[in-house]
Amino acid sequence: MKALQYTRVGSHPEVVEIEKPSPGPGQVLLKVTAAGVCHSDEYVMSLSEEEYTAAGYPLPLTLGHEGAGIVDELGEGVEHLAVGDAVAVYGPWGCGRCHNCSQGKENYCTNAQAEGIKPPGLGAPGSMAEYMIVDDARHLVPLGDLDPVENVSLTDAGLTPYHAIKNSLPKLGAGTYAVVIGTGGLGHVAIQILRALSGAQVIALDINDEKLELAREVGAHHTVISDESAADAIREITGGLGANAVFDFVGANPTIATAVAVAAAEADVTIVGIGGGTAHVGFGSVAFDAAIRVPYWGTRGELIEVLDLARAGQVGVEIQTYSLDDGPKAYEALAAGTIRGRAVIVP
Ligand code: NAD
Ligand code: ZN
Ligand code: ZN
């Protein structure tokens, strides 16, 4: 079968021919229907040889941590699933037994590292292939009549902002302000989730005018170019008080500085982007009682909730599709900043 793999540190992803896997006991083989392209893949492929090895990534690595498919074959002992079922893959695989996993918070599994459990596409073979193995039926959520290509990115570009926003909802009642920095794959879904679940006015920031146009289309009340004057613009929009929650989907030093600068008293500053930046935190440099959070992905229950939001028509992903053969082009477009919404590979 064909797969899109990262084969050498410093190389570009390439389409290769590999053996079609078969499911072991408890595993599920999916015929992949869609695989989303995330900026985190670019981050992984930007690591030096030393960093890559230290992080425990294998080579070759079949990419793709957003996946959807049709159940093709069930391993021994798998129940409650049938060949032909349409499913989405819950990506942050955990052990299923620890205290966090028992609450569906497999994204914070306390055994994953020691047991070498890795998400598909970020260690285990991912969804950018004709077929993929899912290690446990627990990691599949029924798609029902949701279109897999339109919705596959909800498994990360939807789930990650959903998890981040849900924790800040008590601070986002009527009359409040939420800031979304970076309105790409995750950010443009974040805006819709904020509109669906909160009473906040949404202020979106990006460096790119076309991304800000998309932000307005999906529901942002205000858009601001992300530069040194952005914090002043946000202060003005919020009547001098600042924002009650800031979600930074870039996570670089300048965006984190803006995020902290515009936080109101008791605000949440949530850094989702892996842009290598750090926050300067201390008395006088952050608003009183503001909290800084660094979440990772989301819970199994939240994935079910995000798919329900899509089913209700409250959230949708703007997509651009590529064939598996053209997969490398999707990554080139992502690096060039020309993807509107999310790139999705359709094998
Ligand atoms: P993306 O490339 O689709 O979107 C990033 C957006 O940020 C683009 O629209 C870009 O124009 C904009 N941008 C770049 N520099 C900016 C700046 N200085 N100010 C404002 N906007 C700027 O990326 P994505 O796939 O949405 O991922 C976003 C980030 O989130 C990445 O760093 C990714 O690695 C990270 N991520 C984290 C998690 C997590 O669990 N914490 C999960 C998924 C992705
Ligand atoms: Zn991702
Ligand atoms: Zn666990």
Side-chain angles (χ1 to χ4, degrees):
M1 68 168 188
K2 277 184 202 170
L4 188 66
Q5 289 191 331
Y6 183 55
T7 58
R8 277 173 302 112
V9 170
S11 68
H12 295 289
E14 51 193 291
V15 181
V16 298
E17 193 66 36
I18 58 170
E19 210 174 310
K20 178 182 166 186
S22 62
Q27 297 182 333
V28 179
L29 179 71
L30 296 186
K31 187 170 189 351
V32 177
T33 46
V37 176
C38 180
H39 208 116
S40 296
D41 298 335
E42 202 176 292
Y43 167 77
V44 169
M45 293 187 281
S46 76
L47 296 176
S48 68
E49 193 112 33
E50 209 178 346
E51 292 165 331
Y52 192 88
T53 314
Y57 295 118
L59 282 174
L61 170 68
T62 300
L63 295 163
H65 57 269
E66 293 181 345
I70 302 283
V71 175
D72 195 70
E73 197 183 328
L74 299 176
E76 200 188 310
V78 176
E79 292 176 341
H80 311 299
L81 267 179
V83 170
D85 284 355
V87 289
V89 179
Y90 173 75
W93 295 352
C95 72
R97 310 179 312 275
C98 71
H99 187 252
N100 285 343
C101 282
S102 71
Q103 299 167 79
K105 298 193 272 187
E106 297 204 25
N107 49 327
Y108 300 141
C109 174
T110 51
N111 291 327
Q113 196 171 4
E115 295 184 14
I117 303 169
K118 301 220 185 270
L122 294 167
S127 56
M128 293 186 183
E130 290 174 83
Y131 294 87
M132 75 179 287
I133 292 284
V134 174
D135 68 337
D136 195 296
R138 185 178 82 243
H139 295 143
L140 295 171
V141 175
L143 267 179
D145 54 8
L146 282 180
D147 182 78
V149 179
E150 301 271 344
N151 293 285
V152 65
S153 292
L154 294 175
T155 59
D156 176 19
L159 176 56
T160 301
Y162 186 83
H163 174 73
I165 290 165
K166 211 176 156 187
N167 280 315
S168 293
L169 280 183
K171 299 184 177 180
L172 292 175
T176 60
Y177 291 92
V179 172
V180 171
I181 306 178
T183 63
L186 273 66
H188 91 288
V189 183
I191 293 166
Q192 298 171 65
I193 295 169
L194 283 163
R195 292 302 309 266
L197 301 186
S198 85
Q201 294 271 310
V202 179
I203 306 169
L205 270 65
D206 205 291
I207 46 172
N208 177 318
D209 270 322
E210 282 157 38
K211 307 281 176 104
L212 290 180
E213 192 185 305
L214 174 62
R216 284 189 291 273
E217 271 174 40
V218 297
H221 299 89
H222 305 272
T223 53
V224 174
I225 283 285
S226 179
D227 58 18
E228 315 79 63
S229 62
D232 289 340
I234 294 168
R235 285 268 159 208
E236 193 168 327
I237 292 168
T238 59
L241 296 177
N244 307 86
V246 185
F247 302 94
D248 182 356
F249 296 101
V250 180
N253 279 324
T255 57
I256 293 178
T258 300
V260 169
V262 302
E266 298 186 302
D268 282 344
V269 175
T270 302
I271 301 164
V272 179
I274 311 174
T278 49
H280 181 65
V281 176
F283 215 88
S285 56
V286 185
F288 293 135
D289 250 340
I292 305 216
R293 304 173 45 229
V294 188
Y296 172 66
W297 225 326
T299 72
R300 282 169 51 209
E302 286 165 345
L303 178 55
I304 293 172
E305 293 170 31
V306 173
L307 294 176
D308 279 340
L309 270 185
R311 231 165 252 128
Q314 291 172 286
V315 172
V317 185
E318 175 80 18
I319 56 160
Q320 273 168 250
T321 59
Y322 292 82
S323 67
L324 195 50
D325 285 327
D326 281 342
K329 288 188 188 151
Y331 282 96
E332 283 165 29
L334 182 71
T338 56
I339 302 285
R340 189 182 144 92
R342 200 67 154 174
V344 174
I345 290 174
V346 185

